[in-house]
Structure formats: structure tokens, C-alpha cells
Amino acid sequence: MTRDTEPAGTREWANMTGWVVESVSDKPVGFVFDLGPRDYGPAEEEKGLEAVCAQVVVLQDDVFMLRRSRTVLRRLNLGDHSADDLPLEEWLDGDHFEDCTDGYFFTQDVDLVADAVTSWFRDCGFVSTPEDLGCSYEFPRPAAC
């Protein structure tokens, strides 16, 4: 396809994939990246309105945990960020986390994370362009002495 015949929004979604890769690459263990609809807030949540949300948590050994939900994802209270014995590249049911309605997986493939996040939002019907999304970053806090 040439640039003039690309479907509307194609370049924006492709740019989002690269932005997600950049946003989560080379981050410290414990880093959390959240994405969801920009205009979704406490009032919408209180009404029980659904919205696709995604959360990436950086674990040890260059492993990412990607969670998807139709409600706002809370911060996990993990005992540690060990990746030992985690099943990589396997979609897991969301029952393990109360707020994770659509499941989660672990991977060392940052491109897979970015492609999944982009396709979820592109195909969900809740947002029409990446500009409709909001995000937040949370770096791990240093341990108290």
C-alpha cells in the first residue's frame, strides 16, 4: 500500500506500537505502565462502564507481565518481582487477579507486548485513535533504609 491509500489511522496505530516499545524498554524492575481511555474516570467507573485497560509490569530477567481488563487495573502488591518459574508466552485466565477481567501473560518479547497493547485498543471499539488514550508511568520507589 502506498501512503495515499493506507486506511485512516494506520500510521497512528503503527506509531503507537513503537511508542509502547520505547515506553517499557530498559525500565527498572517494578516499573508499571498503564493505558486506558483518556476520558474514563471515577464517575465512569462508579457507573460500571467498561473500558479496555492494559498494564505492563517489568519483572526480573527482562520479563514483562501484560494484563488486560475491562475495568481500571490497580497496582499490584507483589512480594517480589521474580520471574522464576513463570509460564512464558502462555495466556492465563484473569481469575488470579480480581481486577484483571481479560487475562494476562508473561513474556520477554517487548515487541509482542507492544503489538498486543496496540491491537487491543485498535480493535476494541472503545477508542478510535491513539490520541483517545491516556497513560501513566510509575517507577519503583527505592527501599527504605
Side-chain angles (χ1 to χ4, degrees):
M1 269 187 172
T2 66
R3 196 169 243 228
D4 294 333
T5 61
E6 288 179 346
T10 300
R11 286 188 303 277
E12 291 85 0
W13 289 112
N15 292 342
M16 180 177 164
T17 302
W19 174 72
V20 172
V21 167
E22 183 179 312
S23 296
V24 301
S25 293
D26 301 319
K27 297 301 187 280
V29 171
F31 176 80
V32 179
F33 176 65
D34 285 303
L35 273 164
R38 178 182 301 276
D39 61 355
Y40 188 88
E44 288 77 15
E45 187 174 12
E46 201 170 287
K47 292 177 188 173
L49 298 176
E50 289 188 346
V52 172
C53 296
Q55 183 181 77
V56 181
V57 180
V58 177
L59 304 176
Q60 292 175 345
D61 301 324
D62 299 318
V63 172
F64 300 95
M65 176 174 53
L66 176 59
R67 303 191 315 141
R68 176 186 154 134
S69 186
R70 286 168 275 123
T71 63
V72 174
L73 289 159
R74 308 289 179 229
R75 289 295 183 264
L76 296 175
N77 189 14
L78 300 174
D80 64 50
H81 291 87
S82 172
D84 294 341
D85 300 320
L86 293 178
L88 298 180
E89 315 300 333
E90 180 182 334
W91 190 253
L92 302 166
D93 190 311
D95 288 343
H96 186 75
F97 304 109
E98 185 177 307
D99 61 344
C100 185
T101 62
D102 294 340
Y104 60 101
F105 70 94
F106 303 99
T107 185
Q108 292 178 309
D109 186 343
V110 70
D111 293 317
L112 177 60
V113 168
D115 287 341
V117 168
T118 300
S119 65
W120 289 345
F121 286 107
R122 183 189 61 226
D123 300 338
C124 73
F126 286 106
V127 295
S128 56
T129 72
E131 291 177 354
D132 295 335
L133 296 172
C135 72
S136 69
Y137 301 84
E138 184 176 312
F139 284 86
R141 295 184 184 106
C145 296

